[in-house]
Amino acid sequence: MTSTAQQEISVSSSSGSRPVSKDAIINLDHGDPTMFESFWKEVGEAADITIPSWRTLSYFSDVSNFCWFLQPEFAHEARRLHNLVGNAVADDRFLVIGTGSTQLFQAALFALSPSDAPEPMSVVSAVPYYSSFPRITDYLRSALYRWSGDASKFEGDAYIEVVCSPNNPDGSIREAVLKSSNGKTIHDLAYYWPQYTPITAAADHDIMLFTVSKLSGHAGTRVGWALVKDVEVAKKMVKFIELNTIGVSKDSQLRAATILKAISDGYERPDVQTKPGLKMFEFGRRLLSMRWQKLREAVKASGIFTLPDFESVHCKFTGETTEACPAFAWLKCEREGMKDCADFFKKHKILTRGGGHFGVESNYARVSMVDRDETFDLFIERLMSLR
Amino acid sequence: MTSTAQQEISVSSSSGSRPVSKDAIINLDHGDPTMFESFWKEVGEAADITIPSWRTLSYFSDVSNFCWFLQPEFAHEARRLHNLVGNAVADDRFLVIGTGSTQLFQAALFALSPSDAPEPMSVVSAVPYYSSFPRITDYLRSALYRWSGDASKFEGDAYIEVVCSPNNPDGSIREAVLKSSNGKTIHDLAYYWPQYTPITAAADHDIMLFTVSKLSGHAGTRVGWALVKDVEVAKKMVKFIELNTIGVSKDSQLRAATILKAISDGYERPDVQTKPGLKMFEFGRRLLSMRWQKLREAVKASGIFTLPDFESVHCKFTGETTEACPAFAWLKCEREGMKDCADFFKKHKILTRGGGHFGVESNYARVSMVDRDETFDLFIERLMSLR
């Protein structure tokens, strides 16, 4: 297993920035979803928000709801969007709002771990797993839960298995690998939206996590939500968020509600749009599809790497049969003797995240596919020059 | 010591709500700062904010800053306001933004506790201490730190002492009670603003926490900030917030910057105000001063309770010599045989927070002074009727 230090986010001067010249550092280490900026610029005022200075001063949003810091507008728009897309069962589920899905992941760990157990609960996920899971689980050295690595190698009866589907980093569709009746699952469905993957069914798991970051690109807004079946689990998640941050920014919730409304209106209410016909999932799918095509060509031309293949599947939302276009490319260096893929890229001033962060060999590297056009295009150009 | 369960926030159907009738439940348990609503309604558009849909999508705010998720506008306005008020040394200090000061408190515990110590660091505060400190310290059963109660009774060399000044719940001005060279301090200065207490000097401690909630009333915005002397401590706090919530809502930071700007403009740039002459600290001071006068009269008339007395002190900001007008009233039941003050109030449908939550006897109760006028006035009316 890789060291904890290795699994941390490394923010550098190129993070979130545009490359300034042809030979600039290209930072595709993070999944910074800035590719959506151009869509929102098209949408214009319909999705802007104005917040009067006297609004939402109170800590409380809706004390009649078990999640007392949840703005009802947001809950309404989240359920509306799930019903439109058909990616998850959202009605008759408890909706918990969080400061991004990272906070909700921790809230779920807190909710699923007995408060008085002699040993911490084991938290596992099948490799390659999202690089932040180990560190987020262990940074406070909690006696409630601890990271226990690859789910496929776990032996035991009591555990929390995190199932990320489509999976970060490799885009694969996943199910839980462990099946004990004492086991619990957290489904991270951040990427289960039609721009990334065909929607095959409405997911209906015990705890499902979503985030505005990967849905619409509004990562800076720090809003995620969980759909939870068991009210007691949902209440414990609310308790965590109360203790951790006394709720979630109301400004962000209001803004996220406006964004989600604009997405749904694009399909259901084109009459209220500033420019009719702006459909976000089509925008995302079209752009990612072109990028994946360019990437596959460049990868093939290089002769150095391979990429995962994705089966064509019928998407119930678009009605088309399409391949997945994941938010990350999971590149494998195939050249003999080239053991460190991220290091190879780094020598060519391309920042990626190496396999070690995801619990696998370092001949893998993850590359963000959701950055701005100019960054992605420069990446392809440089990739084409690698031999 | 009180049980952990007792120290939790209890959200009820009356939390954050206006009382609907003369005999309604009056909820003054939380410090929900809605008294500021009327000020911001006066200010009007000058402090409203519009956020275009394409703005702040990125996780990153300013990668040239060690606190890469800090919006520069907010840092600028926070320092400007400290310089205007003179309550803290803000220049040449590291500013860390947080999802409220609750998150920053946890970030400071994380930063001040060695990551590999065999025993958790002891966290202490002199009684009566803020009711959330014990639970926030212990809810994850961290091996890094643990709540160790009253600072005055602590024996040992290594500790983190939390110094809240003016103190929640009793409004007293405080200094650290422990003096070991191995000890660390966190100064919670949420209430060190001129509406609550005379400003006697610019505070200059190792870690100072502030929050927009108690400054301007925008609790729903969930923004706090820390001023930190040691860059390594500040960096560890940033790491905590990165792992906990991947930064802080940019919408909230932008809104908070607009609010802070409007406050400072009220003093320095009356020309840019919609209505000139709106000075927030004067509004707050005037309102709280009237409320404290009414409260002292009602308390005196009741013959049941006493309140702390505050010395008149010269305020460098207002230039006047005034008493403190704390955000909470700390009532002591003096009637013989009446042991549970919060319980007595509850029988009269007034929700307060009992002394047990603050590490002291239950003949004390804390009452919020920062709710809306109608709630406060009804409280005084009901208090006058108690015999």
Side-chain angles (χ1 to χ4, degrees):
Chain A
M1 201 178 139
T2 55
S3 75
T4 306
Q6 252 193 291
Q7 293 158 11
E8 293 189 18
I9 298 173
S10 162
V11 176
S12 72
S13 60
S14 57
S15 300
S17 313
R18 292 177 167 81
V20 287
S21 66
K22 285 282 174 201
D23 63 346
I25 291 170
I26 302 169
N27 193 326
L28 296 170
D29 176 2
H30 320 283
D32 202 30
T34 42
M35 76 167 211
F36 291 93
E37 275 174 3
S38 57
F39 176 78
W40 292 110
K41 282 186 179 165
E42 279 287 303
V43 172
E45 286 180 15
D48 294 354
I49 184 171
T50 296
I51 308 177
S53 63
W54 52 267
R55 230 197 129 177
T56 61
L57 267 70
S58 176
Y59 288 101
F60 304 100
S61 294
D62 177 8
V63 290
S64 71
N65 192 310
F66 79 100
C67 187
W68 52 267
F69 46 79
L70 168 62
Q71 290 290 130
E73 306 90 319
F74 180 81
H76 172 77
E77 292 299 339
R79 290 200 170 93
R80 179 185 170 204
L81 190 61
H82 281 304
N83 288 333
L84 169 70
V85 173
N87 63 337
V89 176
D91 296 334
D92 307 319
R93 294 293 176 274
F94 298 97
L95 196 152
V96 182
I97 190 95
T99 310
S101 58
T102 297
Q103 187 182 41
L104 288 161
F105 172 67
Q106 293 163 77
L109 295 184
F110 177 77
L112 296 177
S113 303
S115 59
D116 52 358
E119 284 291 311
M121 184 71 110
S122 293
V123 181
V124 296
S125 189
V127 294
Y129 45 67
Y130 173 37
S131 49
S132 289
F133 289 151
R135 180 71 166 134
I136 295 175
T137 306
D138 283 347
Y139 71 118
L140 291 172
R141 294 177 57 203
S142 171
L144 301 179
Y145 45 76
R146 81 172 146 220
W147 180 250
S148 299
D150 186 1
S152 311
K153 292 187 180 146
F154 181 75
E155 290 177 3
D157 195 40
Y159 57 82
I160 299 169
E161 181 179 352
V162 198
V163 183
C164 184
S165 181
N167 190 42
N168 175 358
D170 67 359
S172 62
I173 298 299
R174 289 193 157 190
E175 290 183 8
V177 300
L178 299 174
K179 304 284 176 198
S180 161
S181 59
N182 279 337
K184 316 272 187 186
T185 54
I186 300 170
H187 279 76
D188 176 355
L189 304 185
Y191 303 96
Y192 192 45
W193 294 103
Q195 67 271 49
Y196 302 118
T197 199
I199 302 301
T200 54
D204 189 18
H205 306 288
D206 289 347
I207 301 179
M208 300 187 282
L209 307 185
F210 294 91
T211 170
V212 171
S213 305
K214 307 303 164 155
L215 164 61
S216 67
H218 291 83
T221 290
R222 310 306 313 121
V223 165
W225 68 100
L227 299 173
V228 182
K229 279 189 187 171
D230 183 322
V231 68
E232 295 308 322
V233 170
K235 280 182 182 170
K236 274 194 79 176
M237 290 177 71
V238 165
K239 178 55 74 179
F240 176 91
I241 293 170
E242 180 183 310
L243 292 164
N244 193 216
T245 54
I246 320 186
V248 176
S249 163
K250 315 239 178 289
D251 311 312
S252 287
Q253 293 188 57
L254 292 174
R255 186 173 185 212
T258 304
I259 295 294
L260 267 57
K261 180 178 185 299
I263 298 170
S264 293
D265 283 350
Y267 294 88
E268 298 180 334
R269 297 285 313 277
D271 56 303
V272 300
Q273 284 193 307
T274 319
K275 289 187 193 172
L278 290 171
K279 294 181 155 66
M280 194 201 69
F281 298 117
E282 274 69 355
F283 163 87
R285 157 68 51 174
R286 201 165 47 237
L287 186 54
L288 284 167
S289 173
M290 281 195 308
R291 287 183 176 189
W292 271 93
Q293 195 182 332
K294 283 185 193 172
L295 176 68
R296 287 193 187 277
E297 283 163 15
V299 160
K300 199 174 172 189
S302 80
I304 305 173
F305 313 100
T306 53
L307 279 167
D309 285 318
F310 301 105
E311 216 183 325
S312 281
V313 177
H314 180 75
C315 175
K316 289 191 175 175
F317 176 68
T318 61
E320 291 166 11
T321 297
T322 45
E323 277 181 20
C325 299
F328 295 103
W330 184 234
L331 286 154
K332 186 180 179 188
C333 283
E334 302 280 3
R335 183 174 290 175
E336 211 167 322
M338 207 166 85
K339 290 204 172 121
D340 193 323
C341 189
D343 189 57
F344 173 78
F345 276 124
K346 199 174 175 186
K347 283 183 184 134
H348 294 91
K349 299 211 272 187
I350 299 169
L351 304 186
T352 65
R353 198 170 292 184
H357 293 266
F358 304 91
V360 298
E361 299 304 311
S362 53
N363 58 334
Y364 285 93
R366 189 194 76 170
V367 174
S368 169
M369 295 292 285
V370 292
D371 216 294
R372 297 184 183 94
D373 279 341
E374 56 208 278
T375 309
F376 181 78
D377 291 344
L378 192 58
F379 165 63
I380 293 296
E381 195 175 305
R382 198 166 302 168
L383 195 59
M384 295 289 276
S385 75
L386 302 184
R387 286 293 173 269
Chain B
M1 200 178 139
T2 54
S3 75
T4 306
Q6 252 193 291
Q7 293 158 11
E8 292 189 18
I9 298 173
S10 162
V11 177
S12 72
S13 61
S14 57
S15 299
S17 312
R18 292 176 168 81
V20 287
S21 66
K22 284 282 175 201
D23 63 345
I25 291 170
I26 301 169
N27 193 326
L28 296 170
D29 176 2
H30 321 282
D32 202 30
T34 41
M35 76 167 211
F36 292 93
E37 275 175 3
S38 57
F39 176 78
W40 293 109
K41 282 187 178 164
E42 278 287 302
V43 172
E45 286 181 14
D48 294 354
I49 184 170
T50 296
I51 308 177
S53 63
W54 52 267
R55 231 197 128 177
T56 61
L57 267 70
S58 176
Y59 288 101
F60 305 99
S61 294
D62 176 8
V63 289
S64 71
N65 192 311
F66 78 100
C67 186
W68 53 267
F69 46 79
L70 168 62
Q71 290 289 130
E73 306 90 319
F74 180 82
H76 172 76
E77 293 299 339
R79 289 200 170 92
R80 179 184 170 204
L81 190 61
H82 281 303
N83 288 333
L84 169 70
V85 172
N87 63 336
V89 177
D91 296 333
D92 307 319
R93 294 294 176 273
F94 298 98
L95 196 152
V96 182
I97 190 95
T99 309
S101 58
T102 297
Q103 187 182 42
L104 288 161
F105 171 68
Q106 293 163 77
L109 295 184
F110 177 77
L112 296 177
S113 303
S115 59
D116 52 358
E119 284 292 310
M121 184 71 110
S122 294
V123 181
V124 296
S125 189
V127 294
Y129 45 68
Y130 173 37
S131 49
S132 289
F133 289 151
R135 181 71 166 134
I136 295 175
T137 306
D138 283 347
Y139 71 117
L140 291 172
R141 295 177 57 203
S142 172
L144 301 179
Y145 45 76
R146 82 172 145 219
W147 180 250
S148 299
D150 187 0
S152 310
K153 292 187 180 146
F154 181 75
E155 289 177 4
D157 194 41
Y159 57 82
I160 299 169
E161 180 179 353
V162 198
V163 183
C164 184
S165 182
N167 190 42
N168 175 358
D170 67 359
S172 62
I173 298 299
R174 289 193 156 190
E175 290 184 7
V177 300
L178 299 174
K179 305 284 176 197
S180 161
S181 58
N182 279 336
K184 316 272 188 185
T185 54
I186 300 170
H187 280 76
D188 177 354
L189 304 186
Y191 304 95
Y192 192 45
W193 294 103
Q195 67 271 48
Y196 302 118
T197 198
I199 303 301
T200 54
D204 189 19
H205 307 288
D206 289 347
I207 302 180
M208 300 187 282
L209 307 184
F210 294 91
T211 170
V212 171
S213 306
K214 307 303 162 151
L215 164 61
S216 67
H218 292 82
T221 290
R222 311 305 313 121
V223 165
W225 68 100
L227 299 173
V228 182
K229 279 189 187 171
D230 183 322
V231 69
E232 295 308 322
V233 170
K235 280 181 182 170
K236 274 194 79 176
M237 291 177 71
V238 165
K239 179 55 74 180
F240 176 91
I241 293 169
E242 180 183 309
L243 292 164
N244 193 215
T245 54
I246 321 186
V248 176
S249 162
K250 314 235 178 291
D251 311 312
S252 287
Q253 293 188 56
L254 293 174
R255 186 172 185 212
T258 304
I259 296 294
L260 266 58
K261 179 177 185 299
I263 298 170
S264 293
D265 283 350
Y267 294 88
E268 298 180 334
R269 296 284 314 276
D271 55 303
V272 300
Q273 285 193 307
T274 319
K275 290 187 193 173
L278 290 171
K279 293 180 155 68
M280 194 202 69
F281 297 117
E282 274 69 355
F283 163 87
R285 158 67 52 173
R286 202 165 47 238
L287 186 54
L288 284 167
S289 173
M290 281 194 308
R291 288 183 175 189
W292 271 92
Q293 195 182 330
K294 284 185 193 173
L295 177 68
R296 287 193 187 278
E297 283 163 15
V299 160
K300 200 175 171 189
S302 80
I304 305 173
F305 313 100
T306 53
L307 279 167
D309 285 318
F310 301 104
E311 216 184 325
S312 281
V313 177
H314 180 76
C315 175
K316 289 191 175 176
F317 176 68
T318 61
E320 291 167 11
T321 297
T322 45
E323 278 181 20
C325 299
F328 296 103
W330 184 233
L331 286 154
K332 187 181 178 187
C333 283
E334 301 280 3
R335 183 174 289 176
E336 212 167 321
M338 207 166 86
K339 290 203 172 123
D340 193 323
C341 189
D343 189 57
F344 173 78
F345 276 124
K346 199 173 175 187
K347 283 182 184 136
H348 294 91
K349 300 212 271 187
I350 300 169
L351 304 186
T352 65
R353 198 170 293 184
H357 293 265
F358 304 91
V360 298
E361 300 303 311
S362 53
N363 58 334
Y364 284 93
R366 190 194 76 169
V367 174
S368 169
M369 295 292 285
V370 292
D371 216 294
R372 297 185 183 94
D373 279 341
E374 56 208 279
T375 310
F376 181 79
D377 292 344
L378 192 59
F379 165 63
I380 293 295
E381 196 176 304
R382 198 166 302 168
L383 195 59
M384 295 289 276
S385 74
L386 302 185
R387 285 294 173 268

